[in-house]
């Protein structure tokens, strides 16, 4: 009992079928392109938002004000203690003079301030955290240390960013899952129509003694080719659309705050994700579609 | 080789199509299966091709025990059979030659094997001139000869024809039967389902008669002739 699998035959059958069912193939590719484009655009926006949030997060820090009576030596010890707390990314020491200079900056016109001695303000540490979500916890740990007079932080802003990022992430995942299911359904139905058109041929093949695998392969290749074609077309469109939008955003004055990532460094990953998703949708769609036809 | 032992067949809707059929066909035989419409002839064909499973009894086809055949084995059992239907079942958008190649490729034959085998079977059925035609360009008799060529192309042990002449005029029907007889003489076992009495009586073959899901006679030499003498 020998099984000869001739993949050249399957591929040429798959190709042939794509052209003989031209309209359905065109529709299927269009669906894959649409789904991938929606998915891709959303993901790229999400990546950009995440990137910007990352920037903002980096600026998130809180300030620990040092007890007035502390000497330089004690302050150095305090800095070491702060650095020892988990979730502390970095600490920057701000001396009394530096604090005063920073305070006076932008207030040069105010004559009252000119006469103030340099040591009116207390020395302080600017502390960056690793995980913005645990900022409050870290801040109270710092506050508990001896020599820390008080903590100054904008927890509301930090929490706002976290909530925003979490919502964006959840929405992205939900949308992508929904879109994946929709495109899978559409591909399965497209190939189901193709198999329906060829149920006679399938019946004849089965009557002649073709194995299920043999009957399935050309359809699987057809699905894979459709997925691949859709992925490549979607990639080119994505590139074009992304560049247009990026140019518009960076060129506009009102949106100058938004930084847009360049497409090229992400191109390979986008292409990989599209090809992978396209192949997956195409293959699983065709397998789903012909399951029923093989039960003879 | 076919063995039916007390075969019962009830369809899902409850119809009892076969009620204890015993039938033995040995290699090399030519057998007519006759009976009125609805008597269970096509059900017998579907059991042999494993399109349907028996509800009871024991069933062997060409060495395969169909009572407990694994699904993966069914295609290989089918390769020992060639099947012909009343409605030809050719692929209309393929040429005659492509139809035959399609049947060979379906079981994994290489292009070289098809180039050797296809002209041979086309000549056997007398259609070597029509290799490039499409089924719609042929007469009914010619289309059925293509179907016979397709059944033969994978060199089966047995050919099963379910009312192969049902759509043909008497002259073409006779030609088809003579072609099937010739194929049987070349060594292939033949089971031909029909209800055309003149046709059966022209050949001196074994005739199995079925009625209402039961075999009512199994004799050689023309079933309908016997009926007249009773
Ligand atoms: N798929 C089916 N489902 C239910 N009943 C069927 C099916 N196929 C055939 N039958 C019934 O089984 C009986 C025998 O049918 P069949 O074998 O096709 O007879 P024949 O080929 O001799 O005309 C008939 O009563 C028919 O209605
Ligand atoms: Mg019938």
């Amino acid at each position: 009992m020998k099984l000869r699998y001739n993949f050249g035959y399957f591929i040429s059958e798959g190709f042939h079928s794509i052209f003989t069912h031209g309209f359905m193939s065109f529709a299927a590719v269009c669906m894959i392109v649409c789904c991938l484009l929606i998915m891709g655009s959303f993901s790229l926006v999400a990546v950009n938002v995440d990137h910007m949030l990352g920037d903002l997060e980096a600026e998130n820090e809180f300030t620990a004000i040092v007890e007035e009576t502390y000497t330089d030596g004690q302050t150095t010890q305090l800095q070491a203690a702060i650095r020892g707390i988990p979730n502390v990314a970095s600490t920057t020491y701000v001396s009394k003079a530096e604090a005063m200079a920073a305070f006076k900056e932008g207030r040069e016109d105010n004559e009252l301030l000119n006469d103030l001695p340099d040591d009116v303000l207390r020395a302080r540490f600017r502390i960056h955290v690793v995980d913005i979500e645990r900022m409050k916890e870290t801040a109270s740990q710092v506050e508990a240390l001896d020599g820390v007079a008080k903590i100054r932080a904008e927890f509301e802003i930090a929490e706002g960013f976290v909530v925003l990022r979490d919502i964006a992430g959840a929405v992205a995942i939900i949308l992508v899952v929904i879109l994946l299911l929709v495109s899978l359904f559409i591909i399965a139905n497209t190939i189901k129509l193709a198999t329906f058109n060829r149920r006679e041929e399938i019946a004849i093949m089965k009557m002649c003694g073709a194995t299920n695998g043999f009957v399935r392969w050309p359809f699987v290749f057809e699905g894979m080719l459709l997925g691949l074609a859709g992925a490549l077309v979607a990639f080119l469109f994505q590139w074009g659309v992304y560049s247009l939008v990026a140019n518009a955003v960076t060129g506009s004055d009102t949106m100058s705050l938004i930084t847009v990532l360049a497409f090229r460094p992400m191109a390979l990953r986008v292409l990989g994700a599209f090809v992978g998703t396209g192949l997956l949708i195409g293959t699983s769609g065709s397998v789903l579609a012909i399951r029923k036809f093989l039960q003879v | 080789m076919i063995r039916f032992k007390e075969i019962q067949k009830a369809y899902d809707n409850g119809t009892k199509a076969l009620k204890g059929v015993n039938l033995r066909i040995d290699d090399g035989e030519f057998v007519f299966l006759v009976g009125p419409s609805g008597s269970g002839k096509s059900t017998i064909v579907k059991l042999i091709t494993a399109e349907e499973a028996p509800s009871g009894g024991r069933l062997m086809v060409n060495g395969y025990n169909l009572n407990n055949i694994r699904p993966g084995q069914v295609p290989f059992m089918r390769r020992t059979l060639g099947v012909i239907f009343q409605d030809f079942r050719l692929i209309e958008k393929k040429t005659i030659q492509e139809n035959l190649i399609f049947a060979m490729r379906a079981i994994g034959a290489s292009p070289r094997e098809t180039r050797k085998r296809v002209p041979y079977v086309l000549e056997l059925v007398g259609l070597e001139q029509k290799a490039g035609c499409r089924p719609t360009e042929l007469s009914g008799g010619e289309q059925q000869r293509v179907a016979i060529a397709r059944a033969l192309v994978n060199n089966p042990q047995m050919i099963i024809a379910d009312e192969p002449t049902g759509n043909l005029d008497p002259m073409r029907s006779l030609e088809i039967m003579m072609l099937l007889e010739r194929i049987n003489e070349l060594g292939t076992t033949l089971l031909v389902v029909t209800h055309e009495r003149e046709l059966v009586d022209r050949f001196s073959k074994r005739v199995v008669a079925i009625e209402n899901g039961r075999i009512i006679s199994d004799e050689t030499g023309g079933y309908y002739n016997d009926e007249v003498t009773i």
Side-chain angles (χ1 to χ4, degrees):
Chain A
M1 192 174 314
K2 68 192 152 181
L3 256 180
R4 269 171 303 175
Y5 269 18
N6 180 339
F7 281 88
Y9 170 77
F10 296 137
I11 293 173
S12 79
E13 280 290 299
F15 256 116
H16 191 73
S17 160
I18 285 180
F19 289 109
T20 46
H21 303 98
F23 178 73
M24 283 318 295
S25 308
F26 180 73
V29 170
C30 285
M31 279 325 301
I32 299 179
V33 169
C34 289
C35 292
L36 285 179
L37 267 184
I38 296 172
M39 241 174 63
S41 302
F42 201 87
S43 306
L44 285 172
V45 168
V47 166
N48 270 290
V49 168
D50 204 55
H51 178 76
M52 281 191 290
L53 282 185
D55 275 355
L56 290 170
E57 269 182 37
E59 282 159 23
N60 262 288
E61 59 179 26
F62 65 97
T63 307
I65 294 170
V66 182
E67 208 79 67
E68 213 156 355
T69 55
Y70 258 46
T71 63
D72 283 356
Q74 282 174 305
T75 309
T76 314
Q77 276 178 354
L78 180 60
Q79 182 163 23
I82 293 173
R83 284 196 176 139
I85 292 173
N87 198 35
V88 169
S90 66
T91 58
T92 315
Y93 177 70
V94 182
S95 68
K96 289 176 182 180
E98 283 165 347
M100 198 59 199
F103 184 73
K104 281 182 177 169
E105 207 176 86
R107 299 183 172 98
E108 285 85 358
D109 306 341
N110 196 329
E111 309 241 331
L112 283 176
L113 294 180
N114 288 340
D115 301 330
L116 278 178
D118 271 356
D119 57 357
V120 165
L121 291 179
R122 288 171 285 188
R124 59 207 57 201
F125 289 106
R126 294 217 313 267
I127 300 168
H128 286 263
V129 291
V130 179
D131 183 359
I132 196 170
E133 285 175 61
R134 281 163 53 208
M135 187 155 137
K136 216 167 200 167
E137 176 195 331
T138 310
S140 52
Q141 278 175 305
V142 171
E143 195 169 19
L145 292 172
D146 283 337
V148 176
K150 121 180 184 206
I151 291 293
R152 217 185 272 150
E154 310 269 11
F155 292 121
E156 289 76 20
I157 294 177
E159 275 162 11
F161 283 139
V162 171
V163 169
L164 193 66
R165 191 192 59 186
D166 287 353
I167 289 177
V171 170
I173 289 171
I174 290 170
L175 262 181
V176 165
V177 167
I178 290 174
L179 284 170
L180 270 179
L181 290 178
V182 168
S183 31
L184 188 66
F185 178 78
I186 290 164
I187 301 311
N189 274 292
T190 309
I191 296 207
K192 204 176 270 177
L193 277 174
T195 43
F196 188 73
N197 286 334
R198 279 186 301 183
R199 62 199 184 286
E200 253 190 338
E201 287 176 37
I202 294 175
I204 291 167
M205 286 169 93
K206 298 279 298 184
M207 184 188 80
C208 290
T211 59
N212 282 348
F214 190 93
V215 176
R216 191 184 289 122
W217 271 113
F219 291 104
V220 172
F221 272 107
E222 185 175 347
M224 281 168 73
L225 286 171
L226 293 176
L228 197 63
L232 294 178
V233 173
F235 174 73
L236 293 179
F237 269 112
Q238 186 74 78
W239 194 333
V241 169
Y242 187 89
S243 305
L244 280 179
V245 173
N247 282 341
V249 169
T250 27
S252 132
D253 292 334
T254 49
M255 289 187 279
S256 59
L257 275 178
I258 303 176
T259 52
V260 182
L261 295 167
F263 188 76
R264 263 170 198 282
M266 299 187 290
L268 217 67
R269 260 179 297 163
V270 172
L271 182 64
F274 276 21
V275 167
T277 313
L279 285 181
L280 189 75
I281 296 175
T283 311
S284 37
S286 54
V287 170
L288 274 179
I290 59 178
R291 230 179 9 177
K292 185 172 123 247
F293 284 90
L294 294 178
Q295 293 165 356
V296 177
Chain B
M1 177 276 274
I2 285 175
R3 303 275 184 279
F4 275 62
K5 202 135 192 80
E6 287 301 323
I7 288 293
Q8 313 269 342
K9 175 62 187 176
Y11 283 104
D12 290 341
N13 64 4
T15 310
K16 288 201 175 71
L18 298 181
K19 303 161 184 170
V21 168
N22 288 295
L23 178 63
R24 171 184 172 141
I25 298 174
D26 290 322
D27 288 342
E29 276 195 275
F30 188 115
V31 178
F32 281 119
L33 177 62
V34 302
S37 171
S39 56
K41 304 184 297 295
S42 294
T43 301
I44 287 182
V45 171
K46 284 185 214 156
L47 288 178
I48 294 171
T49 59
E51 238 178 282
E52 295 283 349
S55 320
R58 296 184 44 74
L59 176 53
M60 290 280 288
V61 173
N62 290 335
Y64 289 88
N65 181 348
L66 297 195
N67 290 101
N68 51 19
I69 190 169
R70 282 186 287 118
Q73 285 297 310
V74 171
F76 298 96
M77 184 280 292
R78 286 189 182 143
R79 291 175 193 192
T80 68
L81 302 171
V83 193
I84 300 164
F85 301 96
Q86 178 172 353
D87 54 359
F88 320 136
R89 301 199 189 170
L90 302 173
I91 301 168
E92 301 216 330
K93 59 179 200 287
K94 289 191 196 290
T95 65
I96 303 319
Q97 188 168 291
E98 285 166 350
N99 265 280
L100 300 186
I101 292 173
F102 181 78
M104 285 189 79
R105 303 297 312 249
I107 64 163
S110 70
R112 229 186 55 203
E113 287 166 303
T114 65
R115 276 196 294 274
K116 266 200 330 218
R117 180 79 179 160
V118 169
Y120 170 76
V121 284
L122 274 178
E123 200 195 319
L124 192 67
V125 300
L127 285 176
E128 60 272 41
Q129 306 296 326
K130 306 272 186 176
C133 296
R134 278 168 216 286
T136 46
E137 301 168 79
L138 302 184
S139 72
E142 286 171 327
Q143 288 187 50
Q144 193 57 295
R145 279 193 277 155
V146 176
I148 292 171
R150 184 182 60 196
L152 267 178
V153 81
N154 289 326
N155 203 13
Q157 290 176 42
M158 172 182 266
I159 284 184
I160 299 160
D162 192 352
E163 314 252 11
T165 59
N167 280 345
L168 305 178
D169 62 57
M171 199 51 218
R172 302 303 134 212
S173 299
L174 188 60
E175 279 175 20
I176 291 294
M177 285 303 176
M178 282 161 61
L179 178 57
L180 292 177
E181 188 181 34
R182 164 115 200 281
I183 288 164
N184 173 243
E185 280 160 6
L186 291 173
T188 310
T189 313
L190 250 296
L191 173 63
V192 180
V193 174
T194 184
H195 57 250
E196 286 167 76
R197 60 183 300 166
E198 296 84 3
L199 214 49
V200 173
D201 287 345
R202 273 175 176 268
F203 298 84
S204 205
K205 300 288 184 195
R206 178 178 164 199
V207 180
V208 175
I210 182 171
E211 215 175 288
N212 198 16
R214 288 195 180 88
I215 305 261
I216 54 163
S217 86
D218 183 348
E219 286 167 51
T220 302
Y223 166 66
Y224 290 104
N225 282 344
D226 288 355
E227 201 176 62
V228 173
T229 56
I230 286 169

